[in-house]
Amino acid sequence: MEITLEGIRIEVTKKKMKNLRIRVTNPDGAVKVSAPHGMSDREIKSKILENLDWIRKHTESGNNSAQKEPKSEEQRLAELTEIFLGLLNDSRFFPLNVSGQKVSGILDGKLSADDVARIVLEAKLSKMIPLWEQKTGLYCSSWKIKNVKSYWGKCNYKTRELFFSSQLAQRGNDCIEYVVLHELAHIKYPDHQSDFKLFLSNYMPDWRKIRNKLKLPEQP
């Protein structure tokens, strides 16, 4: 359903969950709320009103971001190619899990920005995920990269499948590692309860600071 509170349009979806969650998507500043099936409309509105200052702050941030001129395909490709070249000399990702054919395609400029983004992120995740699985003792059954802009990462805690946005390829390694840890944590903690946040803090004390870099606001 969709409601409007003090001039702000809010999309509300009821799900099987314990706590209400508020999210402001980037870059359009759309407000989305997920609420437990058993929560009444009155309770939902009350919770939203309690967080109205937070919502206003981040919708304004999202709208300002939306006004920026989007990067062209050529700009994205140039940035991603530079990131890929950096991987070739980064010992953390050696040996690089990229075929010679893909390397040639990137160097010869025959691949699109989306193709290069997927290759870059796949090379990084193939090293980062096993590392964080070993650190946390939480293991996914599989992981996939999707060309989406609506989320950075997703976890199906029932099947232990992880999904990552190819848009992460242009983010710093700390941001990518945060998303990996975040989604692995959902295998154990499906919701963003206090135990979930404590788990993140134990393994990545500055996770809130890193999350803010992603500019995909989420209720604190």
Side-chain angles (χ1 to χ4, degrees):
M1 68 175 180
E2 187 172 281
I3 61 174
T4 301
L5 290 176
E6 299 195 18
I8 301 174
R9 294 175 62 185
I10 302 165
E11 180 185 327
V12 179
T13 305
K14 290 195 174 183
K15 299 180 178 181
K16 186 178 180 181
M17 59 195 303
K18 292 182 180 179
N19 303 306
L20 179 139
R21 180 187 176 203
I22 302 172
R23 186 163 63 97
V24 179
T25 61
N26 183 55
D28 58 359
V31 183
K32 298 185 179 182
V33 173
S34 299
H37 285 297
M39 185 174 283
S40 68
D41 292 351
R42 183 176 179 179
E43 288 177 295
I44 293 171
K45 289 179 181 178
S46 176
K47 289 286 187 183
I48 294 172
L49 287 170
E50 288 175 12
N51 291 278
L52 207 56
D53 288 342
W54 180 90
I55 291 171
R56 282 201 185 98
K57 175 184 175 182
H58 289 296
T59 52
E60 289 171 3
S61 173
N63 288 333
N64 289 337
S65 175
Q67 292 171 7
K68 294 179 182 178
E69 189 71 24
K71 292 180 180 178
S72 67
E73 173 77 5
E74 290 76 15
Q75 287 175 314
R76 282 190 67 225
L77 183 57
E79 284 185 14
L80 286 161
T81 300
E82 186 175 346
I83 293 171
F84 177 77
L85 292 175
L87 282 178
L88 295 175
N89 299 306
D90 193 330
S91 60
R92 290 172 296 176
F93 302 102
F94 183 83
L96 201 62
N97 295 327
V98 180
S99 69
Q101 184 178 5
K102 289 180 179 178
V103 172
S104 297
I106 294 172
L107 298 180
D108 294 341
K110 294 180 179 179
L111 300 180
S112 68
D114 287 340
D115 290 335
V116 179
R118 180 177 289 272
I119 292 169
V120 166
L121 188 58
E122 186 173 356
K124 291 189 175 187
L125 290 177
S126 67
K127 302 294 184 182
M128 291 179 176
I129 292 175
L131 178 65
W132 282 101
E133 285 179 326
Q134 188 174 14
K135 284 184 179 180
T136 62
L138 297 174
Y139 294 83
C140 65
S141 61
S142 64
W143 56 271
K144 297 176 182 176
I145 297 172
K146 292 182 173 287
N147 186 22
V148 295
K149 296 181 180 179
S150 56
Y151 62 79
W152 295 117
K154 262 188 175 185
C155 171
N156 184 328
Y157 68 92
K158 292 181 179 179
T159 62
R160 303 171 76 94
E161 292 176 287
L162 305 185
F163 303 90
F164 299 94
S165 167
S166 59
Q167 302 295 314
L168 272 174
Q170 287 175 268
R171 298 291 177 167
N173 290 333
D174 57 344
C175 291
I176 300 173
E177 288 194 282
Y178 160 70
V179 176
V180 169
L181 176 61
H182 184 113
E183 301 314 325
L184 282 174
H186 276 313
I187 293 174
K188 186 174 184 179
Y189 305 105
D191 301 318
H192 294 103
Q193 67 263 50
S194 58
D195 287 344
F196 172 85
K197 294 174 183 177
L198 180 60
F199 181 88
L200 293 184
S201 296
N202 285 339
Y203 288 98
M204 190 177 287
D206 58 347
W207 66 268
R208 287 181 176 86
K209 181 179 179 181
I210 297 171
R211 181 189 65 182
N212 290 338
K213 291 183 184 180
L214 290 168
K215 296 182 180 178
L216 186 61
E218 192 173 275
Q219 187 182 19

